Amino acid sequence: ASRENKIAALALIAAPGTTGSSLVLEQQQVQLDRLQMSAAEREERVALQQRIHAAILEDASWDDVPPVIRSNADTAWFRSFLRYDPADVMRRTRQPLLIVHGMADQHIAPSHADGLMTLAQMRRRRESTVELAKLEGVNHALVATQGGATANYDDLTTAMLDSSVTSTLIEWLDRTLSATK
């Protein structure tokens, strides 16, 4: 969108507001907090993840990373994901922006929406409006949920997108696109 004038507006849905590297460590910490393991075991796993990040981002050694983990982590996709920084992208976008995030999202914390909002508000162009919609009871898959549990994602084959998501998007697009004409 930062390079394409034909894109009139952007909606970010359940998007991270930090670098990929920070997000991976944040998500790992959430998962580790749910497991019953010692503090030493948790610290060991975090340290391993940090060594992986250093090997990828800083061209550090892979010596202390098991080969099977390296083969999964040492990919172009993961390298790109760790380096991704929404602040860089946000700075270059000029289109009106809607940030939509489910308050029951346990995959990407709702606080990320606030971070994106702050980044978006730093844009200086008149057409760079921004709105934030935090949807109660909606999880990362944009489905109504009790508690946002991710364990039931496999059961979502019959689940429907929550109506608050579609109504928020439609109302915003109607307002925004009519204002840009």
Side-chain angles (χ1 to χ4, degrees):
S2 66
R3 291 177 267 163
E4 179 57 63
N5 290 329
K6 293 179 183 178
I7 297 174
L10 300 170
L12 301 180
I13 302 172
T18 62
T19 64
S21 180
S22 294
L23 179 63
V24 167
L25 291 171
E26 176 185 321
Q27 289 174 334
Q28 180 189 39
Q29 192 60 54
V30 168
Q31 291 300 318
L32 290 174
D33 289 346
R34 291 181 183 151
L35 299 175
Q36 295 190 347
M37 58 176 53
S38 70
E41 289 173 307
R42 285 198 289 248
E43 287 175 19
E44 183 179 313
R45 289 192 183 189
V46 169
L48 174 60
Q49 191 66 51
Q50 289 171 333
R51 287 193 306 275
I52 293 167
H53 289 207
I56 291 172
L57 298 173
E58 302 164 15
D59 214 18
S61 171
W62 286 94
D63 290 346
D64 294 333
V65 177
V68 68
I69 293 176
R70 178 181 180 172
S71 69
N72 289 327
D74 194 10
T75 66
W77 180 89
F78 195 56
R79 193 173 304 109
S80 173
F81 183 77
L82 290 181
R83 288 185 177 132
Y84 177 75
D85 186 352
D88 292 338
V89 176
M90 195 68 72
R91 198 172 17 259
R92 294 188 309 262
T93 59
R94 67 200 164 288
Q95 295 88 345
L97 181 64
L98 172 66
I99 300 165
V100 179
H101 211 99
M103 292 301 289
D105 190 336
Q106 292 185 3
H107 187 67
I108 297 178
S111 61
H112 284 261
D114 298 321
L116 288 170
M117 182 71 171
T118 299
L119 291 172
Q121 288 172 330
M122 288 191 256
R123 302 178 309 163
R124 294 206 166 100
R125 294 187 175 130
R126 180 180 47 83
E127 65 272 23
S128 298
T129 61
V130 61
E131 292 182 37
L132 174 61
K134 290 183 174 182
L135 307 176
E136 289 296 329
V138 174
N139 67 12
H140 188 69
L142 307 176
V143 173
T145 185
Q146 297 297 322
T150 56
N152 67 345
Y153 277 6
D154 291 342
D155 299 333
L156 296 178
T157 56
T158 58
M160 298 286 291
L161 196 66
D162 190 77
S163 63
S164 66
V165 176
T166 53
S167 63
T168 298
L169 285 168
I170 290 168
E171 291 167 12
W172 178 76
L173 284 169
D174 283 345
R175 275 192 324 275
T176 303
L177 294 181
S178 66
T180 60
K181 290 182 182 178

